[in-house]
Amino acid sequence: MAPSDTEQQLFDAALTLFARHGKAGARMQAIADEAGLNKAMLHYYFRSKDQLYEAVFGYAMQQFMASFDNALRTASSFGEALRLFIDGYITFCKHHTDAMRLLVNENLRGGSLVGQHLQQLKATAPDAPPQLMLRTIERAVASGEIRPVDADHTLLSIVSGCLFPFIARPTAEVLHPEAAQWDAFVEARKQHLFDLLYHGLRTDTPSA
Amino acid sequence: MAPSDTEQQLFDAALTLFARHGKAGARMQAIADEAGLNKAMLHYYFRSKDQLYEAVFGYAMQQFMASFDNALRTASSFGEALRLFIDGYITFCKHHTDAMRLLVNENLRGGSLVGQHLQQLKATAPDAPPQLMLRTIERAVASGEIRPVDADHTLLSIVSGCLFPFIARPTAEVLHPEAAQWDAFVEARKQHLFDLLYHGLRTDTPSA
DNA sequence: GTCTATATCTCGATAGAC
DNA sequence: GTCTATCGAGATATAGAC
């Protein structure tokens, strides 16, 4: 069932405002305004604010997971997988900033939605991107391609490096004013992060 | 002027609840309850919710900055500085989770408070921890102790590695259920992160 | 300084015309 | 399906007794 135009507009507006102001801070009136419609339509399509939020959150999560899937499966070496993962992650954040913000927000608040959706995902798709990357790391350790690091911590480090600039953008912009051209800064980050992590993980280091 | 006991109790309760539910989600009634007092006292000491929030935010920021200052100045090598910075950061997050959550939340929301306070800090204390660590990185690059990395990106990577487990705790706990003993996981992270970053940054890699 | 009681308003949700 | 008008809960903030 394809959602109607109206429903889609409301949905998009909700994503934007929930991401910007959080679940509690976003106003149904503001969402309706953003969509160029009225509150009654919001309730007509989504019943309540709670249900609207859950729908939006589920969508963000799904969109997020889908964004790496293909990339990761084509990698033929750990280095390539690492680069694809980093590039994919950062590109996703750049183009779907609202979705990312929503996910981080929910995590930060310790909401139960994160656990629910992840558990479900783990059950229905045991080789979703996070697990896939975990196993990629474990294989690379086993084959000696990288040092014997803890896979969970390593994945956390990779993800954090990708996400953090978006989370801490206001701080980053003060510390690094030249980054006024945000897009260039984000692009440069892909390369920096790959270098740092690849050097940090690989077994042998031929001198330059 | 030392704040009265009452004021302090209200303040602490506010920090807890603002961190837990965000500025919009936290209820003045709930803050009063948490402090074992009533709403009227909140307005008596802090005028409005806005002013209460600003006071709490400023305090969190200040507490955060103060927590590294001494540690960083005693380091005699880059490796030592890196270890002190990581240990200090993670320990701070562990013991002042609410303050950290508040700061991250405000960053995520792109609030203007972050910029204001950081600008002011930069003016009054030009060698506050962030700048201090930046210069430490630059010196280490200049001396050849580490590879010629971009200092801003590197600092961002270090900070993100420290903070992220706390930000993404719900996700981390699903991916890594053994981390049910959170404290042990956090302690282990100090070592993991230092290893990863030190290997990633240093110039030469003597084989084990 | 501290409390109870209340004023004022904002927001989520619904009713009902079209 | 879409809108205007409105209800009623719950929020911030204040008044005023003690």
Side-chain angles (χ1 to χ4, degrees):
Chain A
M1 242 20 115
S4 69
D5 258 24
T6 300
E7 185 172 356
Q8 190 63 46
Q9 279 173 314
L10 293 169
F11 194 92
D12 292 345
L15 175 60
T16 302
L17 293 191
F18 279 137
R20 195 123 64 208
H21 301 111
K23 182 186 169 185
R27 302 283 157 240
M28 294 294 268
Q29 180 66 57
I31 295 174
D33 290 349
E34 172 87 11
L37 293 160
N38 55 72
K39 279 189 296 177
M41 298 309 289
L42 275 174
H43 287 95
Y44 176 77
Y45 281 104
F46 301 98
R47 279 306 282 180
S48 70
K49 191 182 184 182
D50 275 342
Q51 288 186 45
L52 175 57
Y53 182 77
E54 286 199 29
V56 167
F57 177 83
Y59 171 76
M61 188 79 122
Q62 182 188 345
Q63 209 184 17
F64 180 62
M65 289 305 173
S67 68
F68 316 92
D69 222 83
N70 293 330
L72 265 186
R73 293 182 204 284
T74 67
S76 64
S77 70
F78 176 78
E80 197 187 340
L82 181 63
R83 188 182 288 282
L84 285 173
F85 190 82
I86 291 173
D87 285 6
Y89 221 112
I90 291 182
T91 300
F92 174 84
C93 292
K94 191 172 161 184
H95 290 91
H96 302 87
T97 310
D98 286 338
M100 177 236 35
R101 222 175 272 194
L102 201 72
L103 296 178
V104 173
N105 223 304
E106 190 65 20
N107 266 278
L108 192 60
R109 183 143 2 277
S112 56
L113 284 180
V114 178
Q116 285 175 225
H117 283 251
L118 276 181
Q119 291 291 3
Q120 185 195 336
L121 185 80
K122 218 172 161 181
T124 61
D127 58 350
Q131 269 83 14
L132 202 55
M133 191 66 204
L134 269 183
R135 284 200 316 240
T136 301
I137 296 170
E138 282 160 3
R139 269 204 317 268
V141 167
S143 75
E145 199 176 350
I146 65 175
R147 296 189 298 115
V149 292
D150 177 90
D152 291 305
H153 275 292
T154 303
L155 178 58
L156 212 52
S157 299
I158 299 171
V159 170
S160 75
C162 296
L163 273 178
F164 199 68
F166 297 91
I167 297 176
R169 180 166 174 178
T171 295
E173 287 186 342
V174 172
L175 257 53
H176 181 144
E178 319 90 66
Q181 334 84 317
W182 182 249
D183 284 354
F185 182 74
V186 167
E187 278 309 308
R189 179 135 195 98
K190 291 179 184 174
Q191 185 60 39
H192 163 88
L193 203 55
F194 176 80
D195 277 352
L196 179 64
L197 293 173
Y198 195 62
H199 274 88
L201 291 171
R202 68 178 174 177
T203 304
D204 54 299
T205 305
S207 50
Chain B
M1 241 20 114
S4 68
D5 258 24
T6 300
E7 185 172 357
Q8 191 64 46
Q9 280 172 313
L10 293 169
F11 195 94
D12 292 345
L15 175 60
T16 301
L17 292 190
F18 278 137
R20 195 123 63 208
H21 302 110
K23 182 187 168 184
R27 302 284 159 235
M28 295 294 266
Q29 180 65 58
I31 295 173
D33 290 350
E34 172 87 10
L37 293 161
N38 55 72
K39 282 186 293 177
M41 298 309 289
L42 274 174
H43 287 95
Y44 176 77
Y45 281 105
F46 301 99
R47 273 318 275 182
S48 70
K49 189 182 184 182
D50 274 343
Q51 288 186 46
L52 174 58
Y53 182 76
E54 286 199 28
V56 166
F57 177 83
Y59 171 76
M61 188 78 122
Q62 183 188 345
Q63 207 185 19
F64 180 62
M65 290 303 173
S67 68
F68 316 92
D69 221 83
N70 293 329
L72 264 186
R73 293 182 205 285
T74 67
S76 64
S77 70
F78 176 77
E80 196 186 340
L82 181 62
R83 188 181 287 282
L84 285 173
F85 190 82
I86 291 172
D87 284 5
Y89 221 112
I90 290 181
T91 301
F92 174 84
C93 292
K94 191 173 161 184
H95 290 87
H96 302 86
T97 311
D98 286 338
M100 177 237 37
R101 221 175 271 194
L102 201 73
L103 296 178
V104 173
N105 223 303
E106 191 65 20
N107 266 278
L108 192 60
R109 184 142 1 278
S112 57
L113 284 181
V114 178
Q116 285 175 224
H117 282 253
L118 275 180
Q119 291 291 3
Q120 184 195 337
L121 185 80
K122 217 172 163 182
T124 61
D127 58 350
Q131 270 84 14
L132 202 55
M133 191 67 204
L134 269 183
R135 283 199 318 238
T136 301
I137 295 169
E138 282 161 2
R139 269 203 318 266
V141 167
S143 75
E145 199 177 351
I146 64 176
R147 297 189 298 115
V149 292
D150 176 271
D152 291 306
H153 274 293
T154 303
L155 179 58
L156 211 52
S157 299
I158 298 170
V159 170
S160 75
C162 296
L163 273 179
F164 200 67
F166 296 91
I167 297 175
R169 181 166 172 178
T171 294
E173 287 186 341
V174 172
L175 258 53
H176 181 144
E178 318 91 66
Q181 334 83 319
W182 183 250
D183 284 353
F185 182 74
V186 167
E187 277 311 307
R189 178 136 194 98
K190 291 180 184 174
Q191 185 61 39
H192 164 87
L193 202 55
F194 176 80
D195 277 353
L196 178 65
L197 293 172
Y198 195 63
H199 274 89
L201 291 170
R202 68 178 174 179
T203 304
D204 54 297
T205 304
S207 50

